[in-house]
Amino acid sequence: MTPPTPTPRILALDALRGLAVIGIVGMNVHAFALPGPAYYNPLSYGATSPLDYWVWLGSFVFIEDKFRTLFAMLFGAGCLILIERSGAAPWRAHYARTAVLLAIGLAHATLLASNDVLRAYALAGMALPLLAGLSARALINVALGLLLVHVALGLVALGAPLVAYHVGQGGHDALLWAERQFGRDAPTIAMLLEQGREGLAERIARRSLGIPAQLKAVAASLPLNLSAIALGMGLWRGGMLKGEWRTFRLQRIAGLSALVALPGLLLLAVWLVRTGFPAPLVGPVALVLSAPFDMALALSYAALAMAFLNKDSGLTRRLAMVGRLSLTNYLMTSVILSAIFASWGLGLFGEVTRWQSLALGLVPVAAMLAWSPWWVARIGQGPFERLWRAGAGALS
């Protein structure tokens, strides 16, 4: 039997994937450089100058969860592409891929990045049999419905400290929990600083024991991640991510989405600044209330990329090469950031300010842009893409 002719790659889609994996560095670097609460709250740690607060504002409005959402959208589109091309028994191959991805994500979270997203994508991918047969419109409606589920469940989960904060009495345990997660609780910050400076063997042991808790936390993010995945599937099936939409239509979608997203995000940022970043408010804003606006801005980024990265320019080709190695680049970013911040590297965890950590995030970005074209031209598929494919092939 003659093997099917490979489908030509879509340059703009590869470039968009490259933008997504580069953009994720803008927030991931803070997870490597600073104690956990500082990821969301600049007053927790690492803000010593006005520049640090401007960095927080720019990250909150333009980066935080936008590129993670975009990455999830592209994961959904990628899964649908593979399912459509798999022919007979597509679900066996799909579940083999998600199983291997989950294993890679667990290893990544244990060794390097506790905020790994691959685990969430793999678990959310288990639901794709329920979605893959839907039309583009139905997939987008599912995405919106799951987004509403995330907001509702998130407000229930984080509502107790928020109510206690506004009522001004009672709820001591809830307020203390919020302060430890999103605030400036000094013992918690000290504990996290010590934890962040532990050795590699200590980290592996601690995180290995915490895998059940990791998966529980990841499960809580499934409605949001599955929402983004469904949106990406809908945009592929509807033709946007295939490069079939006209530039004017893409520009209109980008503009409307940005008009929805940016005022909402700016208002939430002003709310946090005016109230002094209270921990009971930081959590709901960062994890729940901003989510619809994050998704809208991610959609705007996707539309802009498909509109303007469809020409075979040097920049587009370089971004496309980064995107073709997206899994490898995502994982190698963690290797580089660990080499900078972990105790077995330069040991800069907790030693830099917010703006300095963002600046150091340019190191893996430069590495991706430099090595990806060389690797693709000479070797082709990335090493972790090859591992993922080989592992899935062995299971299926």
Side-chain angles (χ1 to χ4, degrees):
M1 179 181 292
T2 303
T5 303
T7 304
R9 300 194 70 93
I10 301 170
L11 185 67
L13 185 60
D14 281 335
L16 176 57
R17 192 175 284 111
L19 278 178
V21 76
I22 287 171
I24 285 176
V25 179
M27 287 306 296
N28 272 5
V29 66
H30 299 311
F32 281 86
L34 303 170
Y39 185 90
Y40 305 107
N41 189 340
L43 296 186
S44 294
Y45 195 86
T48 61
S49 71
L51 182 56
D52 293 304
Y53 293 96
W54 284 110
V55 166
W56 168 82
L57 178 62
S59 298
F60 176 79
V61 175
F62 296 106
I63 301 175
E64 185 180 331
D65 281 341
K66 286 74 180 172
F67 290 97
R68 179 204 58 76
T69 299
L70 189 55
F71 207 37
M73 289 164 55
L74 293 169
F75 173 77
C79 285
L80 192 53
I81 292 169
L82 290 172
I83 289 166
E84 290 175 348
R85 295 176 184 173
S86 292
W91 296 115
R92 183 174 178 179
H94 170 73
Y95 281 126
R97 288 190 294 268
T98 57
V100 175
L101 187 66
L102 179 60
I104 293 173
L106 288 172
H108 181 224
T110 303
L111 295 171
L112 299 171
S114 59
N115 64 333
D116 167 81
V117 299
L118 302 179
R119 300 162 298 172
Y121 296 171
L123 292 177
M126 300 294 180
L128 292 193
L130 302 174
L131 303 179
L134 299 179
S135 66
R137 183 183 295 273
L139 284 164
I140 291 171
N141 287 335
V142 167
L144 293 174
L146 287 168
L147 182 60
L148 290 175
V149 169
H150 167 76
V151 172
L153 293 178
L155 289 176
V156 170
L158 299 176
L162 188 59
V163 170
Y165 168 74
H166 283 290
V167 170
Q169 59 183 5
H172 174 75
D173 290 343
L175 290 172
L176 180 59
W177 177 86
E179 197 64 37
R180 288 172 174 170
Q181 299 295 318
F182 309 108
R184 290 167 275 178
D185 182 63
T188 299
I189 297 297
M191 182 268 293
L192 291 172
L193 286 171
E194 181 179 355
Q195 195 175 86
R197 292 162 180 158
E198 65 193 353
L200 179 58
E202 296 172 280
R203 178 161 298 182
I204 292 173
R206 176 175 60 81
R207 289 184 176 171
S208 296
L209 293 173
I211 286 177
Q214 288 179 33
L215 293 177
K216 183 178 178 181
V218 168
S221 72
L222 287 181
L224 182 60
N225 282 294
L226 192 54
S227 172
I229 289 169
L231 178 59
M233 295 169 69
L235 294 176
W236 170 261
R237 184 147 284 165
M240 176 179 146
L241 295 181
K242 295 179 182 178
E244 295 176 352
W245 288 14
R246 297 178 63 180
T247 300
F248 175 75
R249 185 181 183 188
L250 292 166
Q251 291 173 328
R252 184 174 60 182
I253 291 291
L256 291 173
S257 299
L259 282 174
V260 170
L262 293 177
L265 290 165
L266 287 168
L267 284 173
L268 289 174
V270 168
W271 191 17
L272 288 176
V273 171
R274 284 185 170 273
T275 53
F277 294 92
L281 182 58
V282 170
V285 165
L287 297 177
V288 181
L289 299 179
S290 65
F293 307 113
D294 295 336
M295 186 168 286
L297 196 55
L299 175 59
S300 180
Y301 291 166
L304 286 172
M306 296 305 295
F308 296 108
L309 294 179
N310 56 2
K311 296 180 176 61
D312 191 9
S313 66
L315 173 62
T316 300
R317 285 197 304 273
R318 190 168 291 269
L319 288 172
M321 297 305 101
V322 173
R324 288 181 63 174
L325 304 181
S326 57
L327 177 60
T328 293
N329 280 325
Y330 172 71
L331 297 171
M332 291 306 297
T333 293
S334 295
V335 172
I336 295 171
L337 293 179
S338 293
I340 295 172
F341 296 108
S343 63
W344 56 89
L346 297 178
L348 294 184
F349 175 80
E351 302 294 331
V352 296
T353 64
R354 196 174 196 91
W355 79 262
Q356 289 169 339
S357 67
L358 183 64
L360 287 168
L362 295 175
V363 175
V365 171
M368 281 188 270
L369 290 169
W371 91 287
S372 297
W374 179 92
W375 184 279
V376 171
R378 288 162 178 78
I379 301 174
Q381 195 173 41
F384 285 99
E385 284 80 5
R386 194 179 300 273
L387 173 66
W388 187 16
R389 181 177 181 177
L395 288 178
S396 61

